[in-house]
Amino acid sequence: MARTGGSNSSRFSRFTAKDKDGEMIGNIIQLEKVRMAYKNGVLKQSYLITGPWDIGKKDFAMAFSAMMFCETNDNCGTCKGCKKTGNLSNPDFYILNEDGQIKIDSIRELNKNINLKPYEFERKVALIIGAEKMTTEAANSLLKILEEPPEDSIIILTSAVPGQLLETIKSRCQDIKLKNVPKKVIIDELTKNHGLENDEALRIATIALGRPKLAESLAVNDDYGEEVEFLREITKKNLCERFKLAADFAEKKNILRLIGYWETFFMDLLKAKINGHDDLLTTKYKVKDFSWGVRSIVNILDILEKMREYIQSKIKNKLILENIFLNI
Ligand SMILES: [Zn+2]
């Protein structure tokens, strides 16, 4: 009874699962905290998983959900609960993973589902990916559910922009903040499991800035170069063209990922300039291929940081991009 849009991976990220030696890596500590709460009977009924874009919030939420159905509560990966949750065939697990807005009808359906008695397991789990995509109506409807959640149910929300959620929703959820994963862990993952050479793994890990999902995505489809290329192009555009590009990007691109890429690039450029290097770590271009001076780069980094904060306060993406494009 899983409802889903977009792609789903049934595999839990290696970064949030135990490695072969059972050592804690990355956000496994956060997952262990949930496990302890579960085993001690002090689990809450609603959770909000937050953290940067591409950190792996959905994988974490899937691991959390599977734990609720796992025979050993240990994410064994082989029992009926783990398997059925992972391949989305668990009748007691409901996932909302919409591509666009999350509308009130979806929340009503979720409500109907978690109010049914558990069918195969002992509880119901509902997961909402990207909860900030809820319309106001949908958010108010969810708030009512969170105020009086059905017995034996757990509701898990994920969001990279919790600033856009209703305060009343946030205050009803236990917050789990995912943290950036050490660079070395990401490099190991890229060399061992994606077959990348050390240099390339280092480059991608530098761009990923501790976000394993981004590293995995770059290993398959490296769109970073394209956005650096764009920075070279935009300096040649006039004001009118820049406004047009802002409107276009706001519609088509993931703004959090874009700002992250540009911050990485300008940090790379700044460090190289300060240290007198000719080469950049994250791109094939040389320092001399860009005309920004140190002061301009620092200004641009300030603007990017401010704009990233503005996204949290629901300011329109188009305005944010205009501000960036006019100051680059
Ligand atoms: Zn299991």
Side-chain angles (χ1 to χ4, degrees):
M1 259 194 231
R3 174 188 171 139
T4 172
S7 65
N8 271 294
S9 100
S10 58
R11 176 176 80 81
F12 303 141
S13 162
R14 285 183 203 93
F15 300 113
T16 56
K18 279 182 179 170
D19 71 7
K20 284 187 210 82
D21 301 312
E23 284 172 9
M24 304 263 193
I25 48 171
N27 285 296
I28 187 72
I29 293 169
Q30 309 292 68
L31 196 64
E32 288 307 318
K33 281 187 189 165
V34 174
R35 203 184 318 279
M36 288 312 290
Y38 184 34
K39 288 185 172 170
N40 290 318
V42 290
L43 209 61
K44 308 277 183 212
Q45 279 203 277
S46 36
Y47 285 85
L48 170 61
I49 298 166
T50 61
W53 182 262
D54 280 335
I55 191 96
K57 291 179 292 300
K58 184 179 156 203
D59 281 350
F60 185 92
M62 287 297 291
F64 183 162
S65 304
M67 187 200 300
M68 300 297 108
F69 300 108
C70 176
E71 278 168 16
T72 61
N73 311 126
D74 207 27
N75 290 93
C76 73
T78 53
C79 73
K80 188 174 70 171
C82 280
K83 279 191 179 157
K84 283 197 153 184
T85 308
N87 66 25
L88 304 180
S89 64
N90 177 348
D92 295 321
F93 175 54
Y94 192 87
I95 176 169
L96 255 184
N97 186 20
E98 312 266 325
D99 283 331
Q101 277 190 324
I102 301 173
K103 302 214 169 107
I104 189 164
D105 285 348
S106 302
I107 300 296
R108 281 189 184 133
E109 218 176 306
L110 176 148
N111 190 28
K112 216 163 72 186
N113 186 281
I114 58 165
N115 272 291
L116 297 172
K117 280 260 159 275
Y119 180 76
E120 195 173 342
F121 297 91
E122 284 171 13
R123 62 175 52 77
K124 310 282 283 188
V125 175
L127 171 56
I128 303 177
I129 304 291
E132 74 283 351
K133 290 186 291 190
M134 283 186 291
T135 61
T136 310
E137 263 188 319
N140 283 321
S141 169
L142 177 71
L143 182 59
K144 286 200 193 96
I145 305 171
L146 295 176
E147 280 166 352
E148 279 180 74
E151 226 178 285
D152 301 327
S153 74
I154 292 171
I155 299 167
I156 305 168
L157 318 178
T158 76
S159 181
V161 278
Q164 293 187 5
L165 289 172
L166 291 178
E167 281 304 323
T168 40
I169 285 187
K170 283 191 279 183
S171 68
R172 298 218 162 252
C173 297
Q174 172 88 26
D175 197 8
I176 300 178
K177 283 195 181 71
L178 298 193
K179 304 211 168 67
N180 293 53
V181 170
K183 198 173 189 176
K184 189 183 171 307
V185 176
I186 294 187
I187 292 174
D188 282 352
E189 166 72 10
L190 293 173
T191 49
K192 285 181 194 150
N193 296 311
H194 288 269
L196 262 56
E197 296 293 331
N198 276 338
D199 283 359
E200 183 61 358
L202 173 66
R203 187 185 73 83
I204 288 185
T206 305
I207 300 168
L209 276 178
R211 290 164 293 179
K213 289 307 280 184
L214 180 55
E216 284 187 331
S217 149
L218 283 164
V220 178
N221 173 32
D222 188 350
D223 55 351
Y224 175 78
E226 200 180 296
E227 303 309 343
V228 171
E229 191 66 47
F230 171 78
L231 291 175
R232 282 168 54 80
E233 292 305 314
I234 193 155
T235 51
K236 300 173 197 154
K237 306 281 184 197
N238 64 32
L239 275 187
C240 182
E241 287 168 322
R242 291 183 189 210
F243 275 116
K244 248 179 94 186
L245 280 167
D248 197 37
F249 271 41
E251 216 166 274
K252 293 181 192 150
K253 303 239 180 183
N254 177 333
I255 189 168
L256 280 171
R257 181 180 279 207
L258 273 182
I259 291 181
Y261 278 172
W262 293 335
E263 282 183 312
T264 300
F265 166 75
F266 282 109
M267 277 306 295
D268 191 12
L269 186 60
L270 182 64
K271 277 187 198 159
K273 282 211 163 225
I274 289 172
N275 294 317
H277 296 159
D278 296 329
D279 295 324
L280 293 164
L281 270 175
T282 62
T283 160
K284 62 184 186 325
Y285 287 114
K286 305 274 182 195
V287 171
K288 64 174 168 49
D289 293 323
F290 302 94
S291 56
W292 292 289
V294 168
R295 193 173 293 171
S296 310
I297 298 172
V298 171
N299 279 341
I300 294 170
L301 280 166
D302 276 350
I303 289 164
L304 288 172
E305 191 186 345
K306 246 181 237 143
M307 293 306 112
R308 192 155 38 79
E309 283 162 17
Y310 280 3
I311 295 172
Q312 297 285 343
S313 44
K314 263 199 165 162
I315 290 178
K316 286 215 168 3
N317 288 353
K318 186 168 159 281
L319 282 177
I320 289 173
L321 285 164
E322 280 172 5
N323 205 346
I324 296 171
F325 291 178
L326 294 182
N327 284 289
I328 271 181

